[in-house]
Amino acid sequence: MSRAEWLRPRWWTLAALTLVGVFVLGATSVRFALPGSTVAPWWPAAGLAVCFLLATDPGPRRSSLFVLGVLVSSAAANVYGGRPPLVSLLYGVANAAEVAVVHGLLTHRGRRPRLASMEDLWRLIAATIAGAAVIGLLAGLTAHYALGGNFLDSVSAAASSHGAAVLVMAPLGIAARVRRTRRPDVEDVVQWIVVIGVTFWVFHRGQSLPLAFLPIPGLVWGALRLGLRTVAVQLIVVGMLTVRLTILGGGPFAAAARRSGIRPETVGTLTQAFLVTAALTALSLAVAATQRRSALAGLRAEGELTAGVLDTAASAIIVVDRRGVIERLNATAARLLGGAEAELVGRPAADVFPVADHADRAALAARMAAIADGGVPLAEEHDWDVPGLGVRHLVWTNAYLTDDDGRRTHLVKTGVDVTDERAARSFVEAVLEAATATVIVGTGLDGVITLFNRGAENVLGYQASELVGRRDWSVLHDAEQIAAVAKDLGIEPGFEVLVHRVRGGASTETRDWTYLRKDGTPRTVSLTVSGIRDAGGHLTGYLGVAEDVTRRRQAEVALQVALDRERQAVEELTALDRTKSDFVSSVSHELRTPLASVLGYAEMLEDGAAGALTDRQRELIARVDRNGRRLLSLIEDLLLNSRIEAGRLELHPRRFDLAEVIDEAWHSVASVTSQRQLVRDLDVAPRPLWIDGDPVALERAVTNLLTNAVKFTPDGGRIGLMARVDAEDGGAVRLIVSDTGIGIPTADLDRVFARFYRTSTANERAIQGSGLGLSIVRAIVEGHGGRVEVESAPEQGATFTVRLPASGSDVRHPESATGSGQVSALR
């Protein structure tokens, strides 16, 4: 808890106790006044009241109430001391007026009283004199008219007694705010004993020698060594002893009164003069000592701060005296000189500066010897061969220190290592100059151009000297485009249009702009604008990097036109393909009905509906039936392909045994294989191969694979069909159709499942077919969530593998199946 917080709730209690003290001290002063005097020789009550107000700083309202309390307490003390009520009241008013004047002057305009400088002491003295004048005038008038005393003597006695009391006691109220800076020790005890002992001896009753000055050296000792608070307390103690012992007839002042018959008021005045002298002497020295301690502390702190700044500074700082000897340097300088500060101080600068060129060392020595004459330039640059760092380029700024007579006494050298900075600057300049096809423009915050690189000169036709520092960046742009963008942004045309988003907080902005060359030719550029910021993140300028994209944009436009034309051609081809598909579908529908009638009548003729047939007639009707069915199969393929292309392949899935579908397909091609010399191998697992799918569609797919195997295998070859649970994936059924036919060329393997695609071998051997069979197979298999693959080589046959997802867990793994399947061979 702070002192102000501690005092706030207790102020009224402390004020009441202080007013009691005012009453007690006032009554005591009146009661023990010098014999024959109309005024008390010392009035510590006034000093106590002022001391309390200065120590507590209660504010205007409480101060006014306290001053009113001083009036009452002082008047009561005078009444108690035996003075008439009217006189007591007038003395009470005088005392209250004095307290108000002294406190008001010391706290004028909210000033906080203190004794930190001689100006503060003079302010205390002035307030004390003003208060003494007020009390002297009022007390003198009261003593003269009410008690018949001498006006001037009363004025002198009252002014001196009150003034001395305030001057002696008020410093304690001010010192109460000062924090103690040292702890008491033996010296404090000895000094206290000396001050009290000497004061008591000088003013005791049996001592009449004029030695009133003897207590002052003890007070001086305290002022110089022990601080303001101790001096303030000792002044009060000395004042109380001096006054009390003088009233009792002791000391040189009472002895002089007995010998010379001087008046009691004069004795009081002499006493107060002693107290004032002691107070002024002790307070002056205490303030001076306080100032000295503060100055030393400030110098010490400033020295520590200076040392800290020097040692943490990135620049090298070296102080050289007029003889050229190093007197002080910081850590950076010591690092550059390759030694510790203690080793370098006191050595000639010319001996320790590691100049790279030996020829410069002699010149350096000459300059260091001419410091007193101002022979060192204020700015210079040197190359130093720094241990561990190599040659470093240093830029030095020099400043002279002079004495009171203007003679140069020291040289302060501040150096900055600019080696890396200049290398970086040279690198950046080289990069800027090398960017001969890139426009790089830098500006300040106002848009005035500060950088215009070689690439900008090449692209725009201006010289850097024509624009840097003279023109606004926006003049390089198409004015109509600037105006249009400004309208969109809702701002005025000009430089702000280019940096609006970056100034608003964006890191960069990239967009196409139109630059105008010096000859007026427009150039389309892709411009990226970014902000230039200092170490604190504050925006200091802008950088624009632009690339001439005129030809690129023209190529992009041409490409876009070509793409639009290509898109239009694709749309037309798509429409044409759709028309073709619709036409094929329509024609196929139209052909299927009469073809079905032809096949029906051929079958009737074959059955003898028109009479018995000769062998030749039966052979011809068989050919009609065979070719009609081939044509019907082709029509069915075309219709199915049309549905696949239109995305309308309809499957009607149900759970069935794939072995039944395989059996149907195998027997459907029997009429074809019966006329060929082929070996047929059928190997189907004896257990059901359950799948979820459309049995009709899958029968079509298996039939197509078998038909292709028969079609592309010459007589004497072999075709086979195997169906089992997939050994690699127990959740799938694998169906393999293989043959030993002419095979498929490697180049055609990636396209055999394309619509209407026929291999080169099929075309060369004129093997009939539409090229739709395998595309239909893939569509049906993928429609069931499966996949179909082919392996083949010329004259090595072909193997088509179909994998279909099995239905549930009823499908058994190969190792759980029994039997070896069925094999049949026909020649």
Side-chain angles (χ1 to χ4, degrees):
M1 179 183 296
S2 67
R3 183 173 178 276
E5 293 173 338
W6 182 86
L7 284 174
R8 193 175 296 116
R10 298 171 174 81
W11 186 87
W12 292 107
T13 302
L14 295 174
L17 293 175
T18 302
L19 291 175
V20 171
V22 169
F23 170 77
V24 172
L25 290 176
T28 302
S29 298
V30 173
R31 180 74 65 178
F32 295 101
L34 289 170
S37 174
T38 58
V39 180
W42 198 46
W43 195 261
L48 177 62
V50 172
C51 179
F52 174 75
L53 289 177
L54 293 177
T56 59
D57 190 21
R61 179 176 173 273
R62 291 184 178 183
S63 297
S64 301
L65 292 175
F66 182 79
V67 170
L68 183 60
V70 170
L71 187 154
V72 175
S73 297
S74 297
N78 278 277
V79 171
Y80 179 78
R83 286 175 174 163
L86 179 59
V87 173
S88 299
L89 177 62
L90 293 175
Y91 277 139
V93 172
N95 278 280
E98 177 194 18
V99 172
V101 168
V102 174
H103 180 257
L105 290 176
L106 289 177
T107 60
H108 181 59
R109 295 182 180 177
R111 183 188 297 113
R112 181 178 178 179
R114 59 178 187 169
L115 283 174
S117 65
M118 294 307 296
E119 182 182 354
D120 297 331
L121 179 59
W122 283 113
R123 188 177 292 110
L124 173 63
I125 294 172
T128 302
I129 292 174
V134 170
I135 187 67
L137 178 62
L138 296 178
L141 292 174
T142 301
H144 178 70
Y145 289 106
L147 300 177
N150 184 276
F151 174 74
L152 293 179
D153 289 343
S154 298
V155 168
S156 174
S160 61
S161 65
H162 282 253
V166 171
L167 188 62
V168 168
M169 301 184 71
L172 181 59
I174 298 175
R177 296 171 173 268
V178 179
R179 181 174 297 179
R180 186 186 298 274
T181 58
R182 59 184 296 276
R183 293 185 176 183
D185 54 19
V186 176
E187 181 182 4
D188 293 68
V189 177
V190 173
Q191 192 267 345
W192 269 97
I193 293 174
V194 170
V195 169
I196 295 176
V198 171
T199 303
F200 184 81
W201 180 79
V202 169
F203 289 96
H204 80 282
R205 190 174 182 83
Q207 205 286 118
S208 60
L209 296 175
L211 300 176
F213 63 88
L214 284 182
I216 294 180
L219 293 173
V220 170
W221 178 7
L224 294 177
R225 295 283 299 168
L226 307 184
L228 179 62
R229 183 179 295 186
T230 300
V231 170
V233 175
Q234 289 182 354
L235 283 175
I236 295 175
V237 173
V238 169
M240 294 177 66
L241 281 174
T242 300
V243 172
R244 182 60 183 154
L245 293 175
T246 299
I247 291 175
L248 294 176
F253 302 133
R258 290 194 299 271
R259 289 194 304 268
S260 305
I262 59 177
R263 302 178 53 153
E265 287 81 359
T266 305
V267 173
T269 301
L270 291 174
T271 302
Q272 309 314 321
F274 163 74
L275 294 178
V276 170
T277 301
L280 290 177
T281 301
L283 291 176
S284 298
L285 292 175
V287 170
T290 300
Q291 283 184 305
R292 179 176 178 274
R293 284 192 290 270
S294 299
L296 289 176
L299 288 174
R300 191 180 304 108
E302 183 178 351
E304 293 174 354
L305 176 62
T306 301
V309 171
L310 289 177
D311 289 338
T312 57
S315 302
I317 302 175
I318 304 175
V319 180
V320 183
D321 65 15
R322 61 188 302 165
R323 300 170 301 160
V325 176
I326 297 177
E327 190 168 297
R328 182 73 185 275
L329 74 162
N330 68 344
T332 302
R335 186 167 59 253
L336 291 174
L337 293 175
E341 181 179 356
E343 300 173 355
L344 297 171
V345 171
R347 297 181 60 185
D351 293 344
V352 298
F353 282 8
V355 290
D357 190 348
H358 294 289
D360 291 342
R361 188 171 297 279
L364 174 64
R367 288 197 301 272
M368 291 296 102
I371 290 178
D373 300 327
V376 180
L378 298 181
E380 54 185 343
E381 298 186 15
H382 296 292
D383 287 332
W384 278 16
D385 190 359
V386 179
L389 297 177
V391 178
R392 312 297 292 180
H393 191 79
L394 301 173
V395 175
W396 293 96
T397 300
N398 303 317
Y400 290 100
L401 302 181
T402 59
D403 58 16
D404 295 338
D405 297 330
R407 292 177 297 183
R408 301 178 182 87
T409 59
H410 294 81
L411 177 69
V412 179
K413 297 178 66 64
T414 303
V416 179
D417 185 353
V418 297
T419 308
D420 297 335
E421 178 186 347
R422 291 195 175 178
R425 183 185 303 173
S426 300
F427 175 76
V428 171
E429 290 176 352
V431 169
L432 292 177
E433 291 301 313
T436 57
T438 302
V439 178
I440 302 177
V441 180
T443 75
L445 292 176
D446 54 359
V448 175
I449 296 174
T450 58
L451 171 67
F452 198 79
N453 77 325
R454 179 68 58 84
E457 293 180 342
N458 294 339
V459 174
L460 300 178
Y462 290 97
Q463 294 298 313
S465 58
E466 299 179 67
L467 298 176
V468 172
R470 303 180 184 180
R471 303 289 294 275
D472 186 295
W473 189 9
S474 61
V475 302
L476 301 176
H477 292 254
D478 181 6
E480 294 183 358
Q481 187 182 26
I482 290 287
V485 175
K487 184 178 180 181
D488 293 340
L489 296 176
I491 60 177
E492 292 295 325
F495 173 69
E496 178 65 23
V497 175
L498 303 175
V499 300
H500 182 70
R501 289 193 59 190
V502 175
R503 185 170 290 181
S507 57
T508 60
E509 180 188 15
T510 302
R511 62 176 295 169
D512 283 0
W513 289 93
T514 299
Y515 272 173
L516 296 179
R517 286 177 50 84
K518 185 176 182 179
D519 59 8
T521 304
R523 307 296 297 177
T524 301
V525 298
S526 177
L527 173 63
T528 298
V529 180
S530 57
I532 302 174
R533 301 182 183 275
D534 58 19
H538 302 100
L539 199 62
T540 60
Y542 303 95
L543 182 69
V545 179
E547 181 182 2
D548 188 350
V549 295
T550 305
R551 293 184 178 178
R552 187 189 306 170
R553 294 295 181 262
Q554 291 172 349
E556 289 175 356
V557 171
L559 179 60
Q560 186 62 43
V561 172
L563 288 175
D564 290 341
R565 291 177 180 173
E566 186 71 18
R567 187 181 299 108
Q568 183 178 0
V570 170
E571 292 174 354
E572 292 175 355
L573 289 175
T574 302
L576 182 60
D577 185 65
R578 189 180 303 112
T579 302
K580 180 265 298 180
S581 297
D582 293 342
F583 173 76
V584 171
S585 177
S586 176
V587 170
S588 298
H589 276 289
E590 294 298 329
L591 289 176
R592 185 167 57 176
T593 301
L595 185 58
S597 298
V598 170
L599 291 176
Y601 283 118
E603 186 176 353
M604 291 173 61
L605 291 175
E606 190 176 12
D607 291 340
L613 299 176
T614 65
D615 291 338
R616 179 61 177 166
Q617 288 174 334
R618 191 175 298 279
E619 179 184 354
L620 292 176
I621 290 176
R623 289 184 180 180
V624 170
D625 181 74
R626 186 170 53 256
N627 289 318
R629 291 188 183 281
R630 184 183 298 119
L631 181 59
L632 181 61
S633 176
L634 175 59
I635 291 173
E636 292 294 339
D637 286 347
L638 289 173
L639 287 173
L640 183 56
N641 179 70
S642 297
R643 289 196 295 272
I644 293 173
E645 285 183 344
R648 297 195 301 270
L649 176 62
E650 296 180 1
L651 299 176
H652 303 283
R654 65 179 177 84
R655 191 168 184 265
F656 67 94
D657 183 6
L658 182 62
E660 297 177 357
V661 169
I662 293 174
D663 186 65
E664 292 291 334
W666 186 262
H667 287 89
S668 69
V669 297
S671 61
V672 179
T673 57
S674 62
Q675 303 175 14
R676 301 283 306 279
Q677 297 297 316
L678 298 173
V679 178
R680 298 185 301 161
D681 296 333
L682 178 63
D683 184 3
V684 180
R687 298 290 182 177
L689 302 174
W690 297 107
I691 67 172
D692 292 320
D694 187 336
V696 176
L698 285 175
E699 181 183 347
R700 180 67 173 273
V702 176
T703 301
N704 282 0
L705 291 175
L706 290 172
T707 301
N708 272 5
V710 173
K711 185 191 305 182
F712 292 102
T713 302
D715 288 342
R718 181 187 296 272
I719 63 173
L721 188 154
M722 183 185 72
R724 289 185 177 279
V725 175
D726 195 339
E728 298 176 0
D729 182 4
V733 175
R734 183 173 60 178
L735 183 148
I736 301 175
V737 176
S738 60
D739 64 66
T740 60
I742 64 175
I744 303 172
T746 304
D748 295 335
L749 286 175
D750 293 337
R751 294 179 289 175
V752 293
F753 293 104
R755 291 179 299 140
F756 300 108
Y757 183 78
R758 287 170 54 80
T759 65
S760 58
T761 305
N763 290 328
E764 290 172 359
R765 302 191 182 189
I767 298 175
Q768 295 180 354
S770 62
L772 291 174
L774 291 179
S775 67
I776 292 174
V777 169
R778 183 174 65 175
I780 293 174
V781 171
E782 291 178 352
H784 283 78
R787 66 180 187 274
V788 59
E789 300 171 348
V790 61
E791 295 180 3
S792 181
E795 304 303 333
Q796 299 295 323
T799 300
F800 289 85
T801 303
V802 176
R803 287 181 174 86
L804 295 169
S807 174
S809 60
D810 292 335
V811 176
R812 303 185 61 180
H813 292 277
E815 58 270 16
S816 62
T818 61
S820 58
Q822 303 170 1
V823 178
S824 63
L826 296 177
R827 289 288 185 187

